[in-house]
Amino acid sequence: MTIHRRRSLRLKPSIVTMFVLLTVPVLAAIIALNYVSNDRIARLKGQELVERFRGEAMDSIRDIFDPIKSLVRAAAVIGNEQPDFYRDNRSIKYFYAILQHSPKIVSVYAGLNDGSFRQARRIDPQVPIFGQLPPPETRFAYRWIEPKEGAELIDHYQFRDAKGEVLGAIEGVTTYDPRRRMWYREATESGGLFITDPDAFAALGLIGFTVAEPFASDGAMQGAVAADLTLDGLSEYISEHRISPNALTYVLDQQGRVLAASDLSKTYSASKGKVELRHIVQLDNELPAIAYSAHPRNGGAALYGFHHGGHEYLASLTDLPDDFGKKWQLFIITPISDFTAAFDRNNQHLLALGLAATAIALTIIYFMAGAISAPLERLAAKVGRIQDLEPVLLPPVRSQVREISVLARAIDTLDAAVKSFAAFVPMGLVKDLLATDQKMELGGHSRFLTIFFSDLEGFSKLSEELPTQTLLLRVSRHLELVTRSVNREHGTIDKFIGDGVMAFWGAPSLLEDHAWRACVAALRIQRGMDVLNESWRSEETRPLRVRMGIHSDAVLVGNIGSLERMSYTVMGDGVNIAARLEGINKEFGTTICISHAVFKEAGERLCVRPIDEVAVKGRRGLIPIYELLGVYGAGEELEPSPQVLRLAGLTRLAHEAMVGGDRDLALERYRALLREFPDDPVAAALSKRLADS
């Protein structure tokens, strides 16, 4: 017989052919060389511009404040030479002249040590003063306060237009005292010219700085003169002087709080006269925060670079000179692309030519890579599903590449073998073997686990009543419910013992809450059996009753048996106790019996009631046992009802009397419980025992 084999491609020649046809590296090298050269030039240009702008920006900031400082110093000299000059309104005309010097100045004033105050300030006609709007043409105002002993403090306003003509006046009672303001206190305490931190201007409703200097006569401090500059005014100034179209410039204080921003973003908030500056990392724009965080903290160069959002930036953080008078910082951020735009256009033209030249090669590589990578990706996904032991069947992978086709058949065989293996070995162990590549070896180790036993009540009698096939189907549905519940709570099925099940939690994978998960699984089994029994009752067949025992203990866990056949299981005294607890249910008519060790591990998340203290073979002392009634945190359907909580509370009272040795009180309480819950098997059993003893 002649076997016709389908001709297929070989993996190795396919890869070699792909790389032979690949001409992209040559063209990429040409483009990269041109790009690197252009990029180096652009970076040097950008760094040079940033360095130059940094010096110019510092000079610009000084240019804002130095004239104002000079004007304030001159006003202070007048106060030193003519102490009475600021005690009448002729000084306001002088302040008005200073106010005309620069639109950045919003207010000029003097405060005296007797509390008097005189000011020339700019006016917003839309902002009311003493509850009234100024005349519509108002642009400036003269303001003065002259304290008089025994009289209310009156604040006078005289409104003027842009030409200085008087438009009207208003006055009102005030509590304003210049001596309490920060500018007055700082200036008089420092004894020289002082620039305040940002503050709320009491009368202007604005936020800004104050340049102030005290004046004295005969060695005695008479008062202080000051001029105000708003934060917004400083921001507008640096906004008009940018290094590049997309550059950002910030003036920061020593703590990194924003004093001015070239993008005119809101950098402060004010409430009840208190100013809160936003830190550079708290602005709405995240770029300044990233740039500030990227600044070297080891005292490195002021100029540094960083990346954000696929773009590269230059940044500079520099302290203003010490003689400025405030420890402020100038923070500059500019994208490299602002300097590389022309070079980028040249690179784009070169790239277009390169793309045209490599289009054919890329097309060939694309189809060849697809012929190889697509089936390999499907095989990788299939191996992942096998490793996760997912039951979903994936379609077979076919490929023209011989090695991939052989690999696909091998993986299909592996899939069938692993699924068969997982049906007989605990799934958790299989997953560990697949994840760690460890070999199956004999041996074990001690670990604190939770062991679970379940059994069907009256199974022998049931097997005599039902046909074999019917019995097998009903037991299978029960075992399917147990398996599903155990797996859902990450437990390990050890073995099926006829109609019973042995399982444990905490191995092979560690579980911090293994006791609680075992209790949750038991309650899910109990609730699931209620549903199954309801359907069987509708079919007029006898329901099944399951009994479960749970115990936590240190046991030996591992592989036992021989090299030819081994089993992953647990051994130890704790296993016997769990099996004994399952049988104890028969004595008390309960469904789920747990030990004190389980209650100790997960008690705050369990709803239980004490049953008794029982002797277990191999243990000298008595073991307190409990009936599990519900759990918290696993779903509303598993939480105890108010009636169940009532039953648990009454049982605890009766049990406390029995443990305390007051058998008469215990009997009385168990009988009271039976009157409220006449079908309760625990109270019935213990009442009978107490009455017979």
Side-chain angles (χ1 to χ4, degrees), residues 390-422:
E390 294 188 10
V392 180
L393 294 176
L394 296 177
V397 177
R398 305 187 186 281
S399 174
Q400 295 292 327
V401 181
R402 181 181 302 171
E403 285 82 355
I404 297 178
S405 181
V406 172
L407 179 62
R409 290 196 295 270
I411 290 176
D412 288 339
T413 303
L414 174 65
D415 188 15
V418 170
K419 284 184 170 60
S420 299
F421 183 56

Side-chain angles (χ1 to χ4, degrees), residues 1 80 85 103 114 117 139 235 310 328 333 433-434 454 575 647:
M1 176 188 287
N80 291 330
F85 181 73
D114 64 352
F117 179 75
R139 294 295 179 269
S235 295
W328 290 355
I333 309 166
L433 292 173
L434 292 174
S454 74
V575 178
L647 175 63

Side-chain angles (χ1 to χ4, degrees), residues 272-293:
K272 297 180 180 179
K274 184 177 180 182
V275 178
E276 293 290 342
L277 291 177
R278 300 177 70 179
H279 196 274
I280 187 69
V281 301
Q282 297 174 330
L283 298 181
D284 297 335
N285 185 357
E286 66 177 356
L287 179 61
I290 294 171
Y292 190 78
S293 300

Side-chain angles (χ1 to χ4, degrees), residues 72-207:
V72 171
R73 287 194 182 101
V77 169
I78 293 176
N80 291 330
E81 298 299 326
Q82 302 181 38
D84 295 333
F85 181 73
Y86 296 114
R87 296 190 179 276
D88 57 47
N89 286 353
R90 58 179 172 158
S91 60
I92 302 181
K93 296 180 181 179
Y94 173 62
F95 291 154
Y96 179 72
I98 296 177
L99 197 64
Q100 304 301 310
H101 177 78
S102 170
K104 301 293 187 298
I105 303 175
V106 296
S107 173
V108 186
Y109 46 89
L112 303 184
N113 55 11
D114 64 352
S116 60
F117 179 75
R118 283 174 173 79
Q119 177 189 46
R121 52 165 286 196
R122 299 184 189 276
I123 286 290
D124 182 352
Q126 301 301 318
V127 177
I129 297 176
F130 296 126
Q132 298 181 27
L133 290 176
E137 300 299 323
T138 301
R139 294 295 179 269
F140 303 96
Y142 288 0
R143 180 189 177 199
W144 66 93
I145 300 173
E146 295 180 333
K148 295 181 180 179
E149 187 175 355
E152 291 183 321
L153 199 61
I154 304 300
D155 197 349
H156 305 270
Y157 277 84
Q158 186 183 82
F159 302 116
R160 295 175 177 258
D161 62 13
K163 297 179 180 180
E165 298 296 331
V166 177
L167 299 178
I170 193 173
E171 61 183 38
V173 177
T174 185
T175 59
Y176 182 84
D177 187 340
R179 296 169 296 183
R180 297 197 187 101
R181 302 299 295 176
M182 180 174 66
W183 60 270
Y184 187 95
R185 296 198 312 271
E186 297 285 0
T188 54
E189 290 175 5
S190 67
L193 190 136
F194 187 84
I195 302 176
T196 68
D197 291 329
D199 194 14
F201 298 150
L204 303 178
L206 300 173
I207 307 298

Side-chain angles (χ1 to χ4, degrees), residues 326-378:
K326 298 294 288 186
K327 293 182 178 180
W328 290 355
Q329 299 173 305
L330 182 65
F331 190 32
I332 305 169
I333 309 166
T334 180
I336 290 290
S337 59
D338 279 5
F339 311 108
T340 60
F343 300 112
D344 289 341
R345 285 193 294 271
N346 292 334
N347 289 334
Q348 289 171 1
H349 294 155
L350 182 61
L351 178 62
L353 293 175
L355 289 176
T358 56
I360 297 176
L362 288 175
T363 302
I364 296 173
I365 293 172
Y366 173 79
F367 284 109
M368 293 190 66
I372 296 172
S373 63
L376 287 176
E377 290 174 356
R378 292 197 295 272

Side-chain angles (χ1 to χ4, degrees), residues 426-438:
M427 189 171 292
L429 178 61
V430 178
K431 287 185 177 180
D432 279 0
L433 292 173
L434 292 174
T436 61
D437 297 327
Q438 66 181 10

